Amino acid sequence: MIKKIKQTKSEKILIIFISLLAIFSFIFFFSIKNKCLFVKNNDPSKIIFENRNNIAILNAECGNVIIELYPDISPNTVKRFKELIKEKKYDHVAFHRVIKNTLVQGGDLEFGRKNNLNYTYLGTGSSGLGLLNTEISRTFNFTKGTVGFARTNKKNTEDSQFFILLVDAPLFNEEFTPVGKVLYGLDVLKKIKYDEKSEYVLRPDFILKFKMLVD
Amino acid sequence: MKFLKIVFFTFILISSSNANTIFYLIKIPNLEIYDDTAQNGLKYLKAIKPFQVGIRDNNVSCSNPKKELLEKKYIIIRKNLDRYSYDFLEKINFKYVVLCKNLSVGGIEAVGFSNPEMKTILINIGINTYDLGRISHHELFHIINENFKNIFNEIDWKDINEDSFLYSECSTCSENFGLDLIENQNGFLSEYSKSTPAEDMAEIFSFLMTRNSKIATIASSDKIIRKKINFIKDNIYKIDKNFKF
């Protein structure tokens, strides 16, 4: 006959502790798998903007990035940017060049499309609308959140690719064309997929949708 | 303990390169701004960790200098490069100066290196043997030359030399890299001048910028040097008629 042994108080505490640990581990395992869990998603309909015509909303995997465009600083480039956004050209285009906590770049309309991603030429594609001249502002500071138009090593080669700064970059002043600044959603951009060893990303994240607040 | 220290320092040395916004601009990792206040727009950058860029024979590596060395050598370089105006530097497409030590190019120790495509020159500030000011002008000339290849025509330059003279096939093909001023060499200011036409031009230009009166004396008795000086000056004035040697 088996003799029943009553649990001691400390044994009971140990069991409760182990059970709680298992529950927390289970929750934590699923939480960290969701990279967007602690990222606030900004709803533009709940925000009051001074100039609604210059607000663009980039929707990525972790939420909305709300950008104010600066047509007064870079009129031609912002005009091109708005045109491409309104025509939905950026939808499903890759963030192909990402430097961790520094910068994200996307907008290769030719080789960066989700259904036609071409790793060989990614980053070299064009929009078909021709190159733009670099619009330099002597007073503009490229600080965290600035959206600029990307180019090759030479000036006046801007087309459709753009970058967003996640840090201040004083050396970018008078080098690149500024097109706007992120008002809300920098955390969303920090979650864009990057590669520790290379600035170019294999199997990159994509822009889900890019639209103007007012069409 | 000693073994642990070796492992620790090895880890630091081989740890991943630090890509930042400077890397985005000029493709060199592990750099920080040293001084970006120069009136002529030049941005001085310093290595904060060793770096290596490029592959095989074209690889460039350099390491981070100590603060004291940087402060001491920066003054010399800055003083020399301050002689160029903002407009001139814009025309020649030059913007970044990287200060580091133990510079080597393709495994060969170098005093300087220029990358015209990235608007950048690298200067080995660990060098004590040569005048860093002259090295700065020399590397700057390579940027000029690359951006104005049409006016610094190498065929015309070669014609200035004696018919029997032949340059080496590359700047590091010769065994003699001497940068010291040599006299009575019939058309050349240093041993390194004899390596390639581009290096020869850069040597003439850098001596003109640093030892103008001495070069004038040499030119008075050396017809080839005189022609080379005129070639460089005439072409620089085509870029900027107000340029001051």
Side-chain angles (χ1 to χ4, degrees):
Chain A
M1 190 181 154
I2 298 165
K3 192 182 174 185
K4 263 192 175 178
I5 301 168
K6 205 178 172 186
Q7 279 178 327
T8 64
K9 196 178 175 184
S10 56
E11 280 173 336
K12 279 180 187 170
I13 291 169
L14 190 65
I15 287 171
I16 293 168
F17 176 75
I18 291 168
S19 308
L20 284 173
L21 194 66
I23 293 165
F24 280 121
S25 305
F26 187 76
I27 293 169
F28 191 65
F29 177 75
F30 285 100
S31 328
I32 56 167
K33 280 196 102 175
N34 180 3
K35 68 176 183 179
C36 303
L37 192 73
F38 299 110
V39 180
K40 188 187 171 192
N41 190 12
N42 298 287
D43 181 355
S45 64
K46 292 177 181 167
I47 303 169
I48 299 163
F49 298 102
E50 265 185 41
N51 190 345
R52 292 169 58 85
N53 290 324
N54 288 327
I55 300 296
I57 299 137
L58 184 156
N59 182 246
E61 192 183 343
C62 289
N64 289 325
V65 181
I66 300 173
I67 300 165
E68 182 182 5
L69 302 178
Y70 298 149
D72 294 341
I73 298 172
S74 312
N76 295 329
T77 316
V78 171
K79 188 181 167 205
R80 163 77 60 90
F81 202 31
K82 278 185 174 179
E83 193 180 324
L84 294 172
I85 293 170
K86 283 178 182 172
E87 288 174 5
K88 303 186 192 311
K89 297 279 187 186
Y90 288 116
D91 294 4
H92 311 295
V93 168
F95 289 108
H96 63 274
R97 193 177 181 189
V98 185
I99 304 175
K100 183 186 175 187
N101 292 329
T102 303
L103 173 152
V104 297
Q105 182 172 323
D108 182 339
L109 307 183
E110 192 176 1
F111 302 117
R113 299 205 160 277
K114 195 171 188 177
N115 55 5
N116 188 28
L117 199 62
N118 187 330
Y119 286 113
T120 311
Y121 299 109
L122 188 56
T124 64
S126 73
S127 65
L129 298 173
L131 300 178
L132 292 165
N133 285 335
T134 307
E135 294 181 279
I136 297 294
S137 162
R138 285 226 164 178
T139 52
F140 188 87
N141 285 317
F142 277 77
T143 52
K144 188 176 174 177
T146 299
V147 184
F149 247 40
R151 57 168 173 79
T152 67
N153 291 333
K154 293 190 171 80
K155 282 183 179 164
N156 308 324
T157 56
E158 286 82 351
D159 189 340
S160 63
Q161 289 186 49
F162 64 93
F163 61 80
I164 305 176
L165 285 172
L166 305 179
V167 291
D168 294 347
L171 291 186
F172 282 29
N173 299 346
E174 297 180 46
E175 273 294 318
F176 294 101
T177 303
V179 289
K181 191 156 190 178
V182 173
L183 298 177
Y184 305 94
L186 268 182
D187 287 346
V188 172
L189 296 169
K190 285 178 186 165
K191 296 292 177 183
I192 301 283
K193 188 180 173 189
Y194 58 84
D195 188 324
E196 290 279 3
K197 290 178 183 166
S198 166
E199 56 181 324
Y200 291 95
V201 188
L202 197 63
R203 288 186 282 278
D205 281 351
F206 292 87
I207 298 168
L208 301 180
K209 212 169 187 182
F210 205 173
K211 60 175 187 177
M212 294 302 296
L213 183 65
V214 180
D215 281 327
Chain B
M1 193 61 190
K2 198 175 176 184
F3 174 74
L4 280 177
K5 274 185 185 172
I6 291 168
V7 170
F8 177 70
F9 285 113
T10 310
F11 175 75
I12 288 175
L13 284 174
I14 61 167
S15 58
S16 65
S17 294
N18 181 14
N20 52 21
T21 52
I22 300 173
F23 178 80
Y24 182 85
L25 275 173
I26 62 171
K27 298 278 176 239
I28 302 176
N30 302 340
L31 298 181
E32 250 183 20
I33 296 174
Y34 183 67
D35 190 353
D36 63 350
T37 59
Q39 289 285 310
N40 60 11
L42 279 182
K43 312 293 180 192
Y44 294 87
L45 312 169
K46 63 173 180 180
I48 50 166
K49 281 204 296 187
F51 65 81
Q52 185 169 337
V53 286
I55 49 166
R56 293 180 185 166
D57 292 344
N58 294 320
N59 77 64
V60 175
S61 64
C62 212
S63 56
N64 47 312
K66 284 189 176 159
K67 194 181 164 204
E68 300 77 35
L69 179 71
L70 204 49
E71 283 170 356
K72 194 173 144 195
K73 299 295 176 79
Y74 169 67
I75 297 167
I76 303 167
I77 296 163
R78 173 74 190 264
K79 190 182 159 197
N80 278 275
L81 295 180
D82 271 355
R83 292 173 61 189
Y84 301 97
S85 69
Y86 179 92
D87 290 340
F88 182 74
L89 295 175
E90 276 283 299
K91 279 180 195 165
I92 67 166
N93 214 19
F94 172 44
K95 194 146 192 180
Y96 309 104
V97 183
V98 175
L99 309 170
C100 57
K101 69 169 191 176
N102 304 327
L103 174 68
S104 78
V105 180
I108 298 168
E109 188 188 32
V111 291
F113 179 75
S114 70
N115 185 341
E117 200 185 343
M118 295 297 167
K119 307 185 207 177
T120 304
I121 65 170
L122 289 85
I123 298 176
N124 185 353
I125 63 168
I127 292 279
N128 289 318
T129 343
Y130 300 112
D131 171 13
L132 278 183
R134 193 169 81 73
I135 289 162
S136 312
H137 296 295
H138 177 107
E139 296 306 331
L140 179 140
F141 181 81
H142 285 309
I143 305 254
I144 301 174
N145 192 9
E146 191 61 32
N147 285 298
F148 294 90
K149 268 197 175 301
N150 52 334
I151 62 174
F152 291 94
N153 187 303
E154 292 200 355
I155 295 167
D156 293 344
W157 181 265
K158 282 178 184 170
D159 285 345
I160 301 174
N161 291 317
E162 285 181 345
D163 292 346
S164 58
F165 177 79
L166 285 176
Y167 287 104
S168 307
E169 283 184 16
C170 69
S171 60
T172 52
C173 295
S174 159
E175 284 186 3
N176 199 339
F177 299 135
L179 293 170
D180 295 317
L181 181 66
I182 47 170
E183 295 184 46
N184 310 317
Q185 285 294 316
N186 209 15
F188 298 96
L189 292 178
S190 69
E191 286 298 333
Y192 193 51
S193 296
K194 297 175 187 172
S195 59
T196 64
E199 298 300 345
D200 195 6
M201 289 185 212
E203 284 293 87
I204 295 278
F205 178 80
S206 63
F207 274 117
L208 274 173
M209 294 302 289
T210 51
R211 300 182 68 180
N212 206 340
S213 54
K214 177 70 182 168
I215 302 310
T217 312
I218 295 173
S220 63
S221 59
D222 188 325
K223 195 172 69 180
I224 297 175
I225 293 286
R226 203 158 55 238
K227 281 186 183 173
K228 285 182 176 176
I229 289 173
N230 289 337
F231 180 96
I232 295 291
K233 282 189 169 177
D234 290 348
N235 286 325
I236 291 287
Y237 290 139
K238 282 179 193 166
I239 300 167
D240 182 356
K241 60 179 191 235
N242 299 317
F243 189 86
K244 286 187 179 68
F245 282 95

